[in-house]
Amino acid sequence: MTKRLVIGCLILGGVFLSVPFTRSQQVPLRIYFVDVGQGHAALIVSPTGKTMLIDGGPDGAGDAAIVPLMESLGLDHLDVMVATHYDGDHIGGLDEVAAAFPPAIAYDSGDLTAPQNSFFFQYRNAVAPQRRQIRPGTIIDLGDGARATCIVVNGQLISGGRVGIFGRRDPLDQLDNSACIGLLIQYGGFDLFISGDLTGGGNNTTDVESIVGQLVGDVDVLQLNHHGSRTGSNPTFLNLLKAEVGIVQVGRDNPFGHPAVQVIDRFINTTPTNGVRPFPPDGDFTPNRPPFVFQTEFSPPGSSVSHQGVAARGTLLIETDGRTYTVTGGRLPRIPFPVDGAEEGIRSDFPPSIVLQTSPIVPQAGESYLVQAQIVDDGDVIAGATLRYRVNEGDEVSVPLRRVSRTDFIGVIPGQPDGALVQYDVVAEDGEGQVSSVRGGYFAGVTPIASLRRNDDWGVPEFLGYPARIIGTVTVGTGSFSRTNTDIYVEDESGGINVFELRTQSVIVDVGARVIVVGRLLPFNGVLKLDVTNPYPYAPFPSPFGVTPTDQIDDVIPRTVTLAEIDESMEGLLVRVDHVRVVDGSIPAPGQNGNLRISDGTGELTLRVLRDTDIPGMATPHRPFSIIGVVGQFDRFRPFDSGYQILPRSRQDFILSSSR
């Protein structure tokens, strides 16, 4: 047993020694998260012996892992097969399972997103007589009160609402993942949510998660979407589900960087049902209290990959009697948990879903803000819908939304001056008194960069996802730091910020250009970015985000500082540091990134050299010099208060003293 595994087990054991746990004499509900390498497969065996397989892992996993497991359990049938979507690492092994255990019924999402490849053809042919398209609200009875309910498929929701996943024109889109089936597994007071690779807006995918989270509500266990990829598990979704345990099925040699550092760090720092706020470990290791992440295998190496989960090195098993549950499997001991108590019994009525559309995405100063809400309930009764907003965190204003059709409501927030912070909630109540709410915010008009920066006590930006407009001067131009993405820096009188887009910028801007930038605030390893990637890539509508040059050209003069002065307040600023020496490292070879450690006598800092600049290949200075660059940060873990860097733009930013 490795040191990491021993430590993880000791930590978990220490936390739960005080949890009263008596294993029931009744037959439990068992959920096996099969170790299929890089892929997904979950086998459910109910107390009455009914069986359901959700996904089948990659090609070969059926014969190598799933069928042997089913045989070892003494199973002789498969009642239900579900394909959450058609990626090869989810359906590749289903035809092999079907050959050994023909399912009585095989559910999938139909042919709307079906690919024309061998994985799909083999799956379709294997289950053709039993194949059915699942619908939102479909209930799969597993016996003894256990059931699986379809919450979402193809963007269609159990409430009757829908998320618009079709019609996007974006190479970054992941339609098949956005169309995933989401299943809520319930038994007594135990709840588990599984939704394959469902997207949450990361990497500019469609955010289906946030709306689905309104319907799923509080659960005990969550299978993290897309193996912990950055495309899913957004903060809104995680805060709605409040799961105590997260499951990741991952292959140790996977080349995708699963699970991502940002996702696991976000999950283990989400406050669970009991309201006890987690304490961030501030490092790549297992936390000492819930939420916890359990993985089938170790994560691959890499700085962008999380190693904060506890790896079973084998198939994970959850057993529950509806009052308590245990996690075990592989090399893990049996770890007991109480159910979170958020909900007793099986949920048959769901709260309303709210899907918002707002316009304009960033209003000009004095321009009103239209909020359009699609509000739908499975009981078809909306008892009330309200818009509540605050300006600059002042008193709340509450106004009823006006109903314009059976499912559509509108409200207006009056125009506000430049830089005003507007935060709002849309709240809807159904006929049974169940309430859903959606929170949003924006900055009106033109906002000083410094006003966009405010962190909580864990260093997390408080205005994540808020759209804003700035006007400033370019300090790092197009192509300087990246040839594949937009990665520029802009300053105004109050501060600086990184402007980023997941593609090459169509408008070229040079240092000194005065620009108007509209985007939304997103984090990356401690750096706050104004992301200008088009959030609505639907033809023929143009992007509301982007970089627009003006006719003005400004002088760009870096601020002279010492290394000891560099902290969070300087992030994004162009600075100059004099009397610098290299104390460790050297400038990398052409085409390589590199880190050097520098000192100016007041402190030390990392000098980060990016491969797309002309700096790689130059000689490392051996005499004191001055350096110009923007202040960046690379800190993967909360509270994001370390890892500050200086990033020079070109060789000209190295000001060498003349030789004597």
Side-chain angles (χ1 to χ4, degrees):
M1 186 178 291
T2 68
K3 182 177 180 181
R4 177 179 295 278
L5 186 57
V6 170
I7 291 174
C9 293
L10 289 175
I11 290 173
L12 292 169
V15 169
F16 290 100
L17 283 177
S18 62
V19 174
F21 178 78
T22 303
R23 190 170 183 184
S24 172
Q25 297 301 310
Q26 74 184 63
V27 178
L29 177 73
R30 292 173 287 165
I31 306 119
Y32 296 87
F33 294 94
V34 188
D35 185 6
V36 293
Q38 182 63 26
H40 172 245
L43 174 67
I44 299 177
V45 182
S46 82
T48 62
K50 285 192 174 182
T51 55
M52 178 168 71
L53 178 65
I54 305 173
D55 291 341
D59 190 34
D63 289 336
I66 303 171
V67 170
L69 172 62
M70 296 177 70
E71 291 174 343
S72 73
L73 297 174
L75 302 179
D76 59 8
H77 68 286
L78 179 60
D79 293 295
V80 182
M81 176 182 285
V82 179
T84 61
H85 65 303
Y86 302 126
D87 281 356
D89 61 331
H90 288 250
I91 65 168
L94 288 180
D95 61 314
E96 301 155 16
V97 176
F101 293 90
I105 190 168
Y107 285 117
D108 59 39
S109 58
D111 293 335
L112 279 174
T113 62
Q116 301 299 300
N117 61 33
S118 61
F119 294 124
F120 175 71
F121 296 148
Q122 289 167 3
Y123 157 74
R124 183 188 61 187
N125 293 339
V127 301
Q130 300 84 23
R131 188 178 178 218
R132 303 289 186 275
Q133 182 175 344
I134 201 167
R135 306 289 181 183
T138 297
I139 295 172
I140 301 170
D141 184 2
L142 297 173
D144 195 33
R147 70 197 295 182
T149 304
C150 178
I151 304 296
V152 62
V153 56
N154 290 327
Q156 300 291 325
L157 306 167
I158 192 172
S159 64
R162 66 180 180 86
V163 183
I165 67 171
F166 296 99
R168 288 167 59 101
R169 297 292 183 267
D170 192 328
L172 301 171
D173 196 30
Q174 298 181 11
L175 176 58
D176 191 31
N177 290 344
S178 299
C180 273
I181 295 168
L183 295 173
L184 179 62
I185 315 298
Q186 298 173 281
Y187 182 51
F190 174 83
D191 309 280
L192 158 70
F193 188 61
I194 296 178
S195 51
D197 290 352
L198 194 69
T199 54
N203 290 355
N204 214 44
T205 57
T206 304
D207 181 8
V208 185
E209 285 183 341
S210 294
I211 294 90
V212 168
Q214 301 166 19
L215 301 166
V216 175
D218 198 309
V219 300
D220 298 284
V221 181
L222 169 66
Q223 171 131 29
L224 294 181
N225 287 322
H226 205 174
H227 320 280
S229 162
R230 285 185 293 175
T231 60
S233 302
N234 71 48
T236 298
F237 178 69
L238 296 182
N239 286 325
L240 287 167
L241 269 63
K242 297 182 175 66
E244 285 72 26
V245 168
I247 302 294
V248 176
Q249 288 179 274
V250 67
R252 186 169 188 175
D253 58 351
N254 85 82
F256 310 110
H258 298 162
V261 164
Q262 298 94 323
V263 169
I264 303 303
D265 185 68
R266 188 184 304 143
F267 177 81
I268 65 176
N269 286 291
T270 299
T271 301
T273 308
N274 63 14
V276 177
R277 194 178 186 192
F279 188 80
D282 194 17
D284 203 6
F285 47 84
T286 305
N288 61 5
R289 61 188 182 198
F292 295 113
V293 171
F294 295 95
Q295 302 179 195
T296 48
E297 292 290 344
F298 285 120
S299 303
S303 62
S304 64
V305 182
S306 174
H307 304 90
Q308 294 177 305
V310 179
R313 300 176 68 182
T315 293
L316 285 164
L317 168 63
I318 293 178
E319 294 182 282
T320 180
D321 60 5
R323 299 183 297 276
T324 58
Y325 61 100
T326 61
V327 180
T328 187
R331 300 191 179 190
L332 284 181
R334 187 178 299 276
I335 303 166
F337 294 80
V339 298
D340 58 28
E343 188 169 14
E344 293 296 330
I346 301 300
R347 188 189 321 166
S348 57
D349 183 47
F350 291 82
S353 62
I354 306 172
V355 180
L356 293 187
Q357 185 173 356
T358 59
S359 178
I361 195 164
V362 182
Q364 299 284 353
E367 186 178 15
S368 60
Y369 186 78
L370 177 65
V371 178
Q372 299 173 280
Q374 175 205 90
I375 304 176
V376 189
D377 183 65
D378 57 349
D380 205 29
V381 175
I382 302 299
T386 306
L387 172 63
R388 303 169 183 169
Y389 68 89
R390 295 185 302 158
V391 179
N392 293 326
E393 300 176 298
D395 294 337
E396 181 178 274
V397 178
S398 181
V399 295
L401 290 174
R402 182 165 63 90
R403 192 168 200 159
V404 295
S405 73
R406 186 179 68 85
T407 61
D408 296 320
F409 298 74
I410 61 172
V412 176
I413 298 175
Q416 304 297 329
D418 279 326
L421 167 63
V422 182
Q423 296 167 297
Y424 62 88
D425 295 273
V426 172
V427 183
E429 182 177 347
D430 68 10
E432 301 297 322
Q434 298 186 97
V435 175
S436 293
S437 63
V438 176
R439 175 162 294 177
Y442 62 91
F443 289 88
V446 177
T447 302
I449 291 173
S451 298
L452 308 179
R453 294 187 178 279
R454 194 173 79 191
N455 297 339
D456 65 17
D457 56 359
W458 283 352
V460 178
E462 293 190 358
F463 307 130
L464 293 185
Y466 286 23
R469 177 185 293 105
I470 64 171
I471 297 178
T473 302
V474 175
T475 57
V476 177
T478 305
S480 294
F481 282 172
S482 175
R483 297 171 188 169
T484 56
N485 298 314
T486 298
D487 192 1
I488 66 174
Y489 281 77
V490 175
E491 279 189 27
D492 64 11
E493 293 77 9
S494 70
I497 195 167
N498 179 230
V499 176
F500 183 81
E501 184 178 9
L502 278 168
R503 55 177 62 82
T504 303
Q505 188 171 319
S506 57
V507 178
I508 307 301
V509 292
D510 296 321
V511 171
R514 190 79 168 168
V515 294
I516 303 169
V517 183
V518 181
R520 58 178 173 169
L521 297 168
L522 295 177
F524 183 74
N525 291 329
V527 174
L528 182 67
K529 297 175 176 286
L530 193 57
D531 191 314
V532 299
T533 307
N534 185 3
Y536 306 125
Y538 300 93
F541 303 111
S543 174
F545 292 164
V547 179
T548 304
T550 69
D551 294 332
Q552 184 174 337
I553 303 295
D554 297 330
D555 293 331
V556 175
I557 302 174
R559 308 179 188 202
T560 300
V561 301
T562 65
L563 293 181
E565 293 175 316
I566 292 177
D567 60 12
E568 187 71 22
S569 66
M570 292 190 182
E571 182 190 301
L573 290 175
L574 185 69
V575 299
R576 171 175 172 151
V577 183
D578 296 322
H579 313 299
V580 169
R581 288 181 179 272
V582 175
V583 296
D584 187 45
S586 59
I587 291 177
Q592 301 295 316
N593 296 319
N595 292 334
L596 294 77
R597 198 70 181 167
I598 57 174
S599 171
D600 68 346
T602 71
E604 291 189 5
L605 206 70
T606 296
L607 182 69
R608 175 68 170 170
V609 175
L610 298 178
R611 62 174 175 244
D612 284 339
T613 67
D614 67 352
I615 301 169
M618 73 174 280
T620 302
H622 295 293
R623 295 176 179 270
F625 61 99
S626 296
I627 189 69
I628 296 173
V630 292
V631 177
Q633 188 179 16
F634 186 81
D635 185 357
R636 299 179 296 157
F637 306 105
R638 303 169 198 227
F640 305 117
D641 57 0
S642 62
Y644 297 106
Q645 305 172 330
I646 293 179
L647 294 86
R649 302 162 296 177
S650 70
R651 297 188 181 194
Q652 293 180 348
D653 283 337
F654 290 76
I655 305 170
L656 307 178
S657 59
S658 58
S659 59
R660 300 188 180 187

